[in-house]
Amino acid sequence: MLIPSNVPPIDVDTSDVLDDGNQTKDNSFIYIPSRRHTDKVQCYEPATMKYLGYFSALKPDEVKERVAQTRKAQKIWAKSSFKQRRLFLRILLKYIIEHQDLICNISSRDTGKTMVDASLGEIMTTCEKIHWLLSEGEKWLKPEYRSCGRSMLHKIAKVEFSPLGVVGAIVSWNYPFHNIFNPMMAAVFSGNGIVIKVSEHASWSGCFYLRIIQTALAAVGAPENLVEVITGFAETGEALVSSVDKIIFVGSPGVGKMIMRSAADTLIPVTLELGGKDAFIVFEDVDVPHVVQVAARGALQSSGQNCAGAERFYVHKDVYSSFVAEVSKIVKSVTAGPPLSGKYDMGAICMQEHSEKLQYLVNDALDKGAEIVARGSVGNIGEGAVDQYFPPTVIVNVNHTMKLMQEEAFGPILPIMKFSSDEEAVQLANDSKYGLGCAVFSGSKRRAKLIASQLHCGVAAVNDFASSYMCQSLPFGGVKDSGFGRFAGIEGLRACCLVKSVVEDRWWPFIKTKIPKPIQYPVAENGFEFQESLVETLYGLNIWDRLRALVNVLKLLSEQPTPTSDRRRND
């Protein structure tokens, strides 16, 4: 699918977000983050601690007002055509393709990820989502006709998908561009409005990305305020949950439970994509150097940025030593540093104090017998940003008593544990409170598929890692503490809709539903006999029983019914 030449370009104001070229110079304003929340969301580059500005932390009344404005716009947009919605997506796609560097640069500055990781996780996934919606979105939102069954052969049965109204999304910081565009495109394409609360750790980029969306919407004549991005802390998110018709949350299990409790007050549907602790299983019959490259990408992608990242490595004892040696070579060659000031494999950790959590997990493992066998390096960082970096680390001799193998790390750590049998690999992989994704590698595709089918998670990759997310026709989500519900794919698109079952007459007005005389009010004396024979006519166990019952149905219909009330008076 190519973008038609008549798709109009859009002009988005970038004057206040373009880098001034002083990112690595000492005269930049270094920001010292506060440990307490105020009425402002302060924004800074985690890679350099350079100050970016602030946004207001919206109060509950302000949030409700934003939602009310979006609700008015949605009532207009619900009547839009799929042609208009597709044009909106094509305008977005054209802008994204032509401004990849800008989008990745802003994502990098706000979260510390590298340009390569921004391209892989932000640009490619979003473009794939757009292409899928353009090619299949309308098909899956049109009425879907279903079987009428035996008793309703004279009817037409279908499912209709209409907009819910205003969708609320509370998204995480790790992919600020895609995490906004992913729920937004599904909601808008299905006729909804959406209000997105961005993370306080990625508000600067989120507010710029809103400009792109609103400019594209204006270009297709959409009403103002159809899409809103709001900033703030916990009370901002709580107000959003209480105001919308559905909530999508991407974040931690603890906050996810709070979201559910709040959503219970208004009984709105909830989709939760929570933590992950993905198992990466390597059998003895693999090409070790190839698998190691995939493992490194799955675990190390932009320090602290990995979503559904590989966090537990189970390697067969026969290739354990070679796997550890190969992955150690890669990790030792990896350098973390300010992603826009040089060619670095990894950038900074976005969240303040997260490196302290990572070190805590490592120390707990070391205290219980684990060993660090390889670490990468960190270079060319300013004094104010030292705590924002954590060197990539390979740890062996780990086991499940260690917090590193049980708690979500969200960082560049590869804990590697050996196993001896297929059964042990399955047991280890399933021994987790999380269940987001998994990856299974074997020279036997049949073996890898069999193991993957036994793992309790929502996303599985056979001889690959995380490739399922690039297939935007597939639903994404987890089980257990990784949440429930799905976004992406048919399931995610329809989850933004009111799913309505509709039954209508097939041959109206020539054949209409008519209540048989024996069961009309007042019910006849032979009413139950008629109903019993009708059931056997439709669902009897063999043809002769059905024919016999049919004869009785016709006989009872021809009789003059005696109402049960008359029978009681006669008695």
Side-chain angles (χ1 to χ4, degrees):
M1 292 174 56
L2 301 177
I3 303 176
S5 58
N6 61 348
V7 171
I10 55 174
D11 184 19
V12 180
D13 180 18
T14 61
S15 59
D16 59 339
V17 295
L18 292 176
D19 184 15
D20 60 8
N22 294 324
Q23 180 173 334
T24 62
K25 294 183 179 180
D26 293 335
N27 61 351
S28 298
F29 172 29
I30 301 301
Y31 177 68
I32 302 176
S34 172
R35 293 177 179 268
R36 64 185 183 86
H37 293 164
T38 65
D39 59 347
K40 296 178 181 178
V41 177
Q42 305 284 3
C43 304
Y44 59 94
E45 295 181 3
T48 62
M49 301 305 291
K50 180 180 176 182
Y51 188 60
L52 294 172
Y54 71 89
F55 295 92
S56 297
L58 298 189
K59 301 299 181 184
D61 288 346
E62 295 173 300
V63 173
K64 294 181 186 300
E65 176 59 28
R66 296 283 186 94
V67 173
Q69 292 174 354
T70 299
R71 195 173 298 283
K72 291 179 183 177
Q74 187 274 329
K75 293 183 186 302
I76 300 171
W77 181 251
K79 301 173 184 178
S80 63
S81 66
F82 283 111
K83 180 180 179 181
Q84 187 179 12
R85 299 175 194 180
R86 278 193 294 270
L87 179 58
F88 166 63
L89 293 181
R90 289 191 176 107
I91 290 173
L92 285 180
L93 181 59
K94 182 173 183 176
Y95 185 88
I96 293 169
I97 296 300
E98 294 176 349
H99 297 84
Q100 295 181 61
D101 182 83
L102 170 68
I103 294 168
C104 292
N105 184 290
I106 288 174
S107 176
S108 176
R109 291 184 66 190
D110 206 17
T111 65
K113 68 176 62 182
T114 65
M115 293 288 283
V116 169
D117 285 328
S119 177
L120 286 169
E122 308 272 33
I123 301 295
M124 286 189 66
T125 51
T126 302
C127 289
E128 186 63 34
K129 175 90 169 187
I130 293 175
H131 269 277
W132 181 77
L133 284 170
L134 287 172
S135 61
E136 298 189 40
E138 181 179 356
K139 176 176 71 172
W140 297 115
L141 291 176
K142 282 187 173 181
E144 184 176 282
Y145 289 86
R146 303 282 180 89
S147 167
C148 294
R150 292 180 178 178
S151 62
M152 292 287 123
L153 287 174
H154 59 299
K155 298 288 187 179
I156 294 174
K158 62 182 177 180
V159 181
E160 294 180 349
F161 304 94
S162 55
L164 282 173
V166 178
V167 175
I170 301 176
V171 300
S172 61
W173 47 266
N174 55 336
Y175 292 98
F177 181 75
H178 182 70
N179 283 350
I180 289 174
F181 274 66
N182 183 35
M184 180 278 297
M185 291 188 297
V188 169
F189 193 80
S190 54
N192 295 282
I194 186 169
V195 179
I196 306 167
K197 191 241 175 236
V198 290
S199 168
E200 56 268 33
H201 301 292
S203 295
W204 180 74
S205 57
C207 289
F208 170 72
Y209 296 145
L210 175 64
R211 293 183 200 169
I212 301 173
I213 297 167
Q214 291 184 332
T215 305
L217 285 170
V220 299
E224 286 189 67
N225 310 119
L226 183 66
V227 176
E228 287 285 355
V229 164
I230 59 175
T231 53
F233 302 103
E235 71 168 359
T236 306
E238 291 171 4
L240 181 63
V241 174
S242 65
S243 307
V244 295
D245 303 303
K246 174 188 171 67
I247 196 73
I248 299 170
F249 174 71
V250 181
S252 69
V255 178
K257 293 176 182 178
M258 295 170 59
I259 296 288
M260 278 196 68
R261 283 192 286 269
S262 297
D265 291 338
T266 49
L267 290 178
I268 59 170
V270 177
T271 295
L272 300 178
E273 197 271 282
L274 308 178
K277 195 75 180 172
D278 289 8
F280 192 106
I281 301 174
V282 181
F283 287 100
E284 76 282 1
D285 54 354
V286 301
D287 176 356
V288 172
H290 164 72
V291 175
V292 164
Q293 279 290 339
V294 179
R297 168 55 61 183
L300 302 182
Q301 55 176 321
S302 201
S303 176
Q305 305 295 332
N306 49 322
C307 179
E311 291 204 358
R312 296 178 292 148
F313 292 82
Y314 302 106
V315 180
H316 194 277
K317 60 182 180 64
D318 292 348
V319 293
Y320 181 81
S321 296
S322 59
F323 184 91
V324 171
E326 289 288 333
V327 81
S328 294
K329 288 181 186 177
I330 291 178
V331 167
K332 289 177 181 178
S333 69
V334 171
T335 304
L340 298 179
S341 62
K343 188 176 180 181
Y344 291 99
D345 299 294
M346 288 169 33
I349 294 172
C350 184
M351 291 188 297
Q352 182 188 358
E353 302 175 352
H354 188 62
S355 60
E356 295 177 11
K357 176 187 176 181
L358 296 179
Q359 191 59 54
Y360 166 75
L361 295 176
V362 169
N363 290 343
D364 175 76
L366 297 177
D367 291 343
K368 295 174 181 176
E371 177 187 357
I372 295 177
V373 294
R375 300 202 89 166
S377 59
V378 177
N380 192 32
I381 57 175
E383 182 178 345
V386 170
D387 293 338
Q388 299 300 109
Y389 291 88
F390 193 90
T393 305
V394 179
I395 300 182
V396 297
N397 299 331
V398 295
N399 59 62
H400 282 200
T401 67
M402 302 171 182
K403 297 182 187 299
L404 181 59
M405 296 297 280
Q406 295 294 336
E407 298 181 12
E408 185 178 35
F410 232 95
I413 304 173
L414 289 85
I416 307 173
M417 185 174 179
K418 70 175 66 173
F419 67 89
S420 301
S421 66
D422 293 15
E423 294 74 19
E424 184 184 8
V426 171
Q427 186 274 323
L428 289 171
N430 283 333
D431 181 26
S432 173
K433 64 182 179 181
Y434 295 106
L436 190 52
C438 72
V440 183
F441 290 80
S442 171
S444 167
K445 184 178 178 181
R446 179 178 178 277
R447 181 187 190 188
K449 287 170 62 178
L450 179 62
I451 296 298
S453 69
Q454 299 176 63
L455 302 186
H456 194 200
C457 59
V459 180
V462 174
N463 287 323
D464 204 345
F465 176 78
S467 54
S468 57
Y469 202 74
M470 285 305 297
C471 301
Q472 282 290 315
S473 64
L474 294 177
F476 183 83
V479 297
K480 299 190 284 189
D481 275 17
S482 291
F484 60 85
R486 298 293 183 265
F487 54 76
I490 303 162
E491 293 79 3
L493 184 61
R494 288 179 169 177
C496 292
C497 299
L498 168 63
V499 181
K500 183 185 299 182
S501 298
V502 179
V503 178
E504 59 189 61
D505 289 302
R506 188 183 298 274
W507 297 292
W508 174 270
F510 305 106
I511 297 179
K512 304 176 184 178
T513 298
K514 186 177 181 181
I515 306 299
K517 287 184 178 181
I519 58 174
Q520 289 181 5
Y521 290 113
V523 177
E525 183 178 358
N526 60 2
F528 180 74
E529 181 185 356
F530 169 81
Q531 189 61 32
E532 189 176 35
S533 296
L534 180 61
V535 170
E536 192 162 3
T537 298
L538 294 170
Y539 312 108
L541 302 182
N542 59 66
I543 187 65
W544 302 114
D545 289 345
R546 292 185 187 179
L547 288 173
R548 191 180 305 111
L550 177 60
V551 170
N552 197 42
V553 165
L554 296 174
K555 174 186 173 185
L556 293 171
L557 284 172
S558 65
E559 292 179 353
Q560 185 66 30
T562 303
T564 54
S565 56
D566 291 348
R567 181 173 60 82
R568 292 193 190 99
R569 282 196 295 270
N570 293 334
D571 291 344

